[in-house]
Amino acid sequence: MTASRTPLTIAIDGPSGSGKSTVSRAVATRLGLAYLDTGAMYRALTWWCLEQKIDLDDPDAVAAAARELPLRMGTDPEAPSVQVADTLVDGPIRTTEISSVVSRVATVPAVRTELCARQRAIMRDAAAHGPGVVAEGRDITTVVAPDADVRILLVADENARLARRARELHGHAGQTAVAATRDQITRRDRDDSTVSQFLQAAPGVVTVDTSDLDLDQSIEAVLKVVENA
């Protein structure tokens, strides 16, 4: 991918544990594109609300925090970053504390409106000043970027998703680790599905099932969709 070519926008959606973050970063790296993790933006807002002692059950207060959120997203796929005010929060936003409550923030309609607008702005900037972007997360193929050049729904069966997330959080996919992960995965998908459609592909969105694919195979499957498009 060179700067002289028409900018390419790739949108990748999918449930928790489908592999969309890891695959999206790898695809962005392979194609020389920027990378945007939209889910990290909701996590960053959740972290900010907790830091500011904002009641997560007060949607008006959470929405106000979203509008004022001093957020900066680094879009280098080899070193993505999330900064709130002067604090890099890449580590803190991945804690169990954040994971367990992020849906309470992400399901506030006004929050989604604000952050979706910011996501579109980042994607426009990537296309205007570079070769394009791979953006992944909830709503990306339907609400945020329905006109993306390539739209993909990355899916996997529940057992595969639980095993992946268990290895990510606990370092292994033993029975205990999977059990500890199950509630977090299923609850977040259930909560998020009340405001976002990410379990079935919308018209024009290509489904890629990674249940029986390893990471390299998943990356190649997505690259093949991009090539075909």
Side-chain angles (χ1 to χ4, degrees):
M1 181 68 60
T2 63
S4 62
R5 295 181 62 180
T6 301
L8 178 64
T9 297
I10 301 172
I12 300 180
D13 206 338
S16 302
S18 60
K20 61 183 180 295
S21 294
T22 306
V23 170
S24 296
R25 281 184 63 182
V27 168
T29 299
R30 289 274 289 271
L31 297 179
L33 304 179
Y35 163 72
L36 176 61
D37 176 359
T38 64
M41 298 172 71
Y42 291 98
R43 288 175 172 271
L45 174 58
T46 304
W47 177 86
W48 178 248
C49 286
L50 294 177
E51 285 290 301
Q52 299 297 309
K53 309 300 182 186
I54 293 170
D55 182 0
L56 300 187
D57 293 320
D58 183 343
D60 291 335
V62 172
R67 290 188 290 269
E68 298 167 4
L69 179 66
L71 176 65
R72 181 176 180 181
M73 299 294 294
T75 58
D76 179 350
E78 298 191 71
S81 62
V82 184
Q83 183 173 331
V84 178
D86 296 324
T87 304
L88 286 171
V89 297
D90 302 83
I93 66 173
R94 303 296 176 183
T95 63
T96 300
E97 178 188 17
I98 298 299
S99 297
S100 64
V101 297
V102 64
S103 288
R104 290 162 63 186
V105 170
T107 53
V108 176
V111 166
R112 302 194 75 80
T113 298
E114 171 65 24
L115 294 192
C116 284
R118 295 195 190 200
Q119 291 156 19
R120 293 188 193 100
I122 293 170
M123 295 170 72
R124 284 195 301 269
D125 184 71
H129 300 99
V133 62
V134 178
E136 56 97 351
R138 301 281 197 259
D139 281 345
I140 202 75
T141 61
T142 53
V143 176
V144 180
D147 56 349
D149 301 294
V150 183
R151 295 184 296 155
I152 296 171
L153 178 67
L154 213 61
V155 300
D157 64 43
E158 184 176 280
N159 289 335
R161 294 192 293 119
L162 288 172
R164 289 169 185 166
R165 189 52 57 87
R167 283 192 289 269
E168 177 185 322
L169 296 176
H170 306 287
H172 65 93
Q175 200 170 32
T176 303
V178 169
T181 306
R182 182 179 300 277
D183 177 65
Q184 183 184 120
I185 292 290
T186 57
R187 177 165 40 82
R188 184 173 179 204
D189 282 349
R190 183 184 65 244
D191 291 347
D192 286 358
S193 67
T194 63
V195 293
S196 176
Q197 176 54 260
F198 55 88
L199 299 177
Q200 291 185 328
V205 177
V206 179
T207 299
V208 175
D209 191 333
T210 66
S211 300
D212 299 318
L213 304 181
D214 62 21
L215 177 57
D216 288 339
Q217 292 170 329
S218 299
I219 294 167
E220 291 301 326
V222 169
L223 287 170
K224 187 66 175 177
V225 173
V226 175
E227 181 183 345
N228 290 341

